[in-house]
Amino acid sequence: MKTKDLLMYVLGGLITLGFFALLALLIFNPAPIENKDLLNITIGSLLTAFATVVSYFYGSSKGSADKNELLNKKQE
């Protein structure tokens, strides 16, 4: 496995774990009112990053990357 691929999987895993950890934290612990705006921004950013990870690994971008890898192997 290439270093680039390994880093991509690690980063995707960290974003996914962070998203679900923050979600669980919010379910079991109420957030202080004074941090409400900052918390909303953080959740929105993490949700966007999580959606990007999911769309890459299960969307057309992954298929396109796989196709390019196959074409590169065929040329070698």
Side-chain angles (χ1 to χ4, degrees):
M1 182 179 291
K2 297 178 187 175
T3 303
K4 178 184 172 189
D5 291 339
L6 180 63
L7 291 175
M8 182 179 61
Y9 288 119
V10 168
L11 184 60
L14 287 174
I15 290 171
T16 302
L17 287 174
F19 174 71
F20 284 110
L22 184 60
L23 196 60
L25 186 67
L26 289 174
I27 289 172
F28 296 114
N29 296 322
I33 278 297
E34 57 271 1
N35 293 339
K36 180 181 158 194
D37 293 334
L38 180 62
L39 195 60
N40 284 335
I41 292 170
T42 305
I43 291 171
S45 297
L46 227 89
L47 182 60
T48 302
F50 177 70
T52 303
V53 167
V54 169
S55 67
Y56 175 78
F57 282 105
Y58 297 106
S60 64
S61 295
K62 180 64 175 159
S64 179
D66 290 344
K67 177 192 69 165
N68 289 340
E69 186 177 328
L70 284 173
L71 288 174
N72 288 338
K73 283 182 182 179
K74 188 175 182 180
Q75 288 178 351
E76 294 173 356

